[in-house]
């Protein structure tokens, strides 16, 4: 992030614009929404700028910008649409202590003016650091459509009520009050009675929350999926936005953690096979402690909580402590890995069942019914199988599995650095040795194009 987003208080402060053409008009249309004192320097100003000056919305000097013109100015815009003139203006303004923006010159500008969605006093600023103005406009259009036109009115009335709302204790109770106002009670009151109905609605809402019992603690056990935040369920996203505490696995990606409320307490309980780990007893203690304290807790697990996620142990601990809980499934990595190779986990005529296996358990390499898997043509999604790859290879081949059986290794499933490594049972140990990240082994599945080629070869041989 080269440009740090801030909101600058320009009430009563000077902003100067050097230029009188289209670039200056575009900036002034936005600046006129502020409470700044605007001064324009232009030898030949456009009629629109002259009209604003006649209406006393800005001060117009019909001359070129010169020394002393940026004194005490907070911001200065070089909008002459002439590189040499804009550079001259910028040099003077910098020397006189103003932050300078040269229109359409990101490199020489100290700040940029973002695309803005205006629901005064709610303002959403969108910046792409000059990389994609078209994208910024698209995001702006999307937000304009999604944000209610009455949001500004709701916010202005709410702002005037903030002192009264301070009677509520800081934290969850106050947040619940404001959430009810902005999400449900406020919009409904405005629709039924207009602006005059908002203050009485706030007073009734405050009385209700002052007299309401404290919200009981709750633990939501939530599946984060394999890493891509777009694969989260809507319910998971809502719970992250409401959570006081997020207790998360090490495999949960930073992009997903960014969706948590900024004030939420984030606690990592990372586990790593054959490496540093948080004991399950400590995880149980943490979720019980925070849930029992009255917090809204999200226990965020990679993939689906019910697939090798110690789900039942955590539920048992919560129930033993009398803490309320709920369960939100997530996409399991095996299903998403199969999608990455363009294959179904089941296919008519190929396999009517699929196994979900772990490569190791608490005792070490996990033992399964390898004979059945080797001889029935089933497909298996093998989790945590990298370190046990040679063990898996030996067990399956010992029971008659063909060395040519396809095994696809999918590393960092669904993430930007996802990688699909085709292999066979014979080459599996070498394939996983080249994969540093977490991976799923898809036994019996090849990437779609490769599978089609193998099928053609088999038919030709027959």
């Amino acid at each position: 992030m080269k440009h740090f987003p801030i909101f600058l208080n320009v009430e009563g402060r000077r902003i100067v614009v050097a230029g009188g053409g289209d670039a200056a008009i575009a900036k002034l249309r936005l600046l006129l929404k502020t409470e700044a004192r605007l001064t324009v320097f232009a030898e030949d100003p456009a009629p629109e700028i002259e009209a604003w000056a006649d209406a006393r919305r800005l001060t117009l000097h019909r001359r070129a910008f010169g020394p002393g013109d940026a004194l005490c100015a907070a911001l200065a815009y070089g909008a002459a649409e002439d590189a040499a003139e804009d550079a001259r203006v910028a040099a003077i303004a910098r020397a006189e202590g103003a932050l300078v923006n040269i229109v359409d010159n990101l490199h020489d500008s100290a700040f940029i003016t973002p695309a803005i969605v205006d629901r005064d006093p709610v303002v959403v600023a969108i910046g792409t650091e000059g990389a994609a103005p078209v994208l910024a406009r698209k995001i702006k259009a999307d937000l304009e459509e999604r944000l209610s036109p009455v949001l500004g009115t709701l916010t202005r009335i709410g702002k005037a009520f903030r002192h009264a709302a301070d009677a509520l204790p800081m934290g969850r109770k106050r947040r619940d009050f404001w959430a009810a106002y902005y999400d449900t009670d406020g919009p409904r009151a405005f629709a039924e009675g207009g602006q005059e109905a908002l203050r009485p609605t706030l007073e009734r809402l405050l009385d209700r929350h002052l007299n309401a019992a404290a919200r009981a603690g709750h633990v939501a056990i939530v599946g984060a999926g394999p890493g891509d935040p777009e694969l989260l369920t809507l319910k998971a996203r809502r719970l992250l936005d409401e959570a006081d505490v997020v207790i998360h696995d090490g495999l949960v990606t930073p992009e997903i953690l960014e969706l948590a409320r900024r004030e939420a307490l984030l606690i990592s309980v990372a586990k790593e096979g054959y490496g540093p780990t948080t004991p399950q007893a400590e995880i149980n203690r943490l979720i019980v402690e925070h849930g029992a304290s009255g917090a809204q807790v999200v226990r965020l697990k990679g993939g689906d909580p019910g697939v090798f996620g110690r789900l039942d142990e955590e539920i048992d601990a919560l129930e033993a402590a009398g803490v309320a809980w709920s369960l939100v499934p997530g996409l399991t990595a095996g299903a998403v890995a199969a999608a990455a190779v363009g294959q179904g986990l089941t296919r008519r005529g190929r396999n009517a069942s699929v196994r979900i296996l772990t490569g190791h358990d608490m005792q070490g390499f996990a033992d399964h019914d390898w004979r059945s898997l080797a001889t029935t043509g089933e497909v298996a999604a093998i989790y945590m199988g990298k370190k046990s790859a040679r063990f898996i290879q030996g067990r399956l081949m010992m029971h008659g599995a063909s060395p040519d059986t396809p095994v696809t290794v999918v590393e960092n499933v669904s993430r930007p650095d996802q990688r699909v490594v085709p292999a066979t049972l014979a080459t599996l140990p070498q394939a996983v040795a080249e994969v540093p990240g977490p991976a799923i082994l898809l036994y019996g599945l090849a990437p779609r194009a490769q599978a089609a080629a193998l099928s053609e070869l088999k038919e030709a041989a027959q």
Side-chain angles (χ1 to χ4, degrees):
M1 185 190 297
K2 291 184 178 179
H3 293 82
F4 182 69
I6 62 171
F7 286 86
L8 182 68
N9 184 357
V10 296
E11 180 185 5
R13 301 184 70 183
R14 290 187 72 223
I15 297 178
V16 298
V17 177
D22 290 342
I25 290 171
K27 294 301 179 188
L28 286 167
R29 283 178 180 150
L30 182 58
L31 293 170
L32 283 165
K33 295 183 177 185
T34 74
E35 298 178 25
R37 294 186 294 115
L38 304 178
T39 305
V40 177
F41 297 88
E43 293 178 291
D44 184 21
E48 196 165 354
I49 296 177
E50 290 184 322
W52 286 328
D54 292 341
R56 298 191 176 184
R57 299 185 67 189
L58 54 80
T59 299
L60 174 61
H61 295 284
R62 290 175 173 81
R63 62 173 175 81
F65 181 91
D69 288 337
L71 289 174
C72 300
L75 304 175
Y77 284 88
E81 301 176 73
D82 177 272
E85 175 61 12
D86 283 335
R88 186 187 71 82
V89 168
I92 294 171
R94 285 193 200 99
E96 295 177 355
L99 288 173
V100 176
N101 173 272
I102 302 175
V103 176
D104 292 333
N105 183 343
L106 182 68
H107 182 266
D108 294 322
S109 296
F111 71 95
I112 57 177
T113 304
I116 286 177
V117 179
D118 185 9
R119 298 289 188 273
D120 186 34
V122 177
V123 179
V124 182
I126 306 148
T128 63
E129 298 195 337
V134 171
L135 176 60
R137 286 194 292 272
K138 180 182 183 304
I139 295 171
K140 171 180 164 64
D142 289 345
L143 289 174
E144 291 281 10
E145 184 177 339
R146 294 168 68 179
L147 293 180
S148 168
V150 306
L151 183 59
T153 302
L154 291 172
T155 307
R156 281 194 297 276
I157 302 300
K159 181 180 179 182
F161 198 77
R162 289 190 69 85
H163 181 70
D166 287 347
L168 290 166
M170 285 285 290
R172 167 62 59 182
K173 202 159 190 178
R174 195 178 297 183
R175 288 199 304 273
D176 286 348
F177 164 79
W178 286 114
Y181 170 65
Y182 285 111
D183 294 346
T184 55
D185 292 48
R188 183 169 58 242
F190 187 91
E192 294 172 354
Q195 182 173 328
E196 299 302 317
L198 293 178
R199 178 80 189 199
T201 296
L202 281 163
E203 290 170 350
R204 289 192 297 271
L205 192 61
L206 177 60
D207 183 65
R208 189 166 81 224
H209 280 76
L210 281 170
N211 295 307
R215 188 174 175 184
H218 181 272
V219 176
I221 304 173
V222 176
D228 183 352
E230 291 189 341
L231 296 179
L232 279 174
T233 63
L234 293 174
K235 192 169 188 178
R237 294 193 71 144
R238 177 178 61 79
L239 289 168
L240 280 171
D241 186 59
E242 296 175 355
D244 301 307
V245 181
V246 178
I247 300 173
H248 63 91
D249 290 347
L251 290 177
V252 176
T253 59
E255 293 80 6
I256 289 176
L257 293 177
E258 276 292 315
L259 299 174
R261 196 169 56 83
R262 196 158 298 279
E263 297 82 6
L265 174 63
L266 303 182
I267 302 173
S268 173
V269 289
K271 290 186 176 185
E272 184 178 331
Y274 306 104
T277 186
T278 303
Q280 186 61 45
E282 174 64 9
I283 297 173
N284 294 350
R285 186 192 68 78
L286 283 168
I287 60 176
V288 166
E289 176 186 312
H290 287 284
S293 74
Q296 303 303 302
V297 181
V298 168
R299 169 67 177 106
L300 193 61
K301 293 173 170 284
D304 180 83
V307 179
F308 305 123
R310 304 274 186 96
L311 171 65
D312 294 286
E313 296 173 50
E314 295 180 8
I315 291 175
D316 288 346
L318 290 167
E319 290 187 336
V323 177
W325 60 274
S326 60
L327 177 62
V328 180
L331 281 170
T332 188
V336 182
V341 303
Q343 294 269 38
L345 285 172
T346 62
R347 178 175 177 174
R348 186 170 56 180
R350 184 193 67 198
N351 65 301
S353 62
V354 62
R355 297 193 190 190
I356 297 177
L357 309 176
T358 178
H360 69 81
D361 54 25
M362 295 177 66
Q363 283 72 47
F365 294 157
D367 225 338
H368 302 285
D369 184 1
W370 300 112
R371 180 189 299 276
S372 174
L373 182 59
T375 57
T376 59
E378 287 181 303
V379 166
I382 305 175
Y383 294 62
M384 298 169 282
K386 282 172 50 182
K387 286 185 168 59
S388 55
R390 193 169 292 280
F391 170 82
I392 293 169
Q393 176 198 56
R395 284 291 190 270
L396 287 167
M397 291 178 68
M398 179 177 70
H399 290 295
S402 168
D404 295 329
T405 303
V407 184
T408 303
V409 182
V410 185
E411 179 189 20
N412 295 322
V413 176
S414 85
R415 304 182 190 191
D417 55 350
Q418 174 181 283
R419 187 161 61 116
V420 175
V421 181
T424 64
L425 192 56
T427 63
L428 177 60
Q430 293 87 346
V432 298
E434 300 172 4
V435 174
I440 294 287
L441 313 184
L442 296 175
Y443 174 79
L445 290 183
R448 189 169 192 82
Q450 180 181 330
L454 289 173
S455 178
E456 288 177 6
L457 285 173
K458 189 177 293 185
E459 290 177 5
Q462 292 173 349

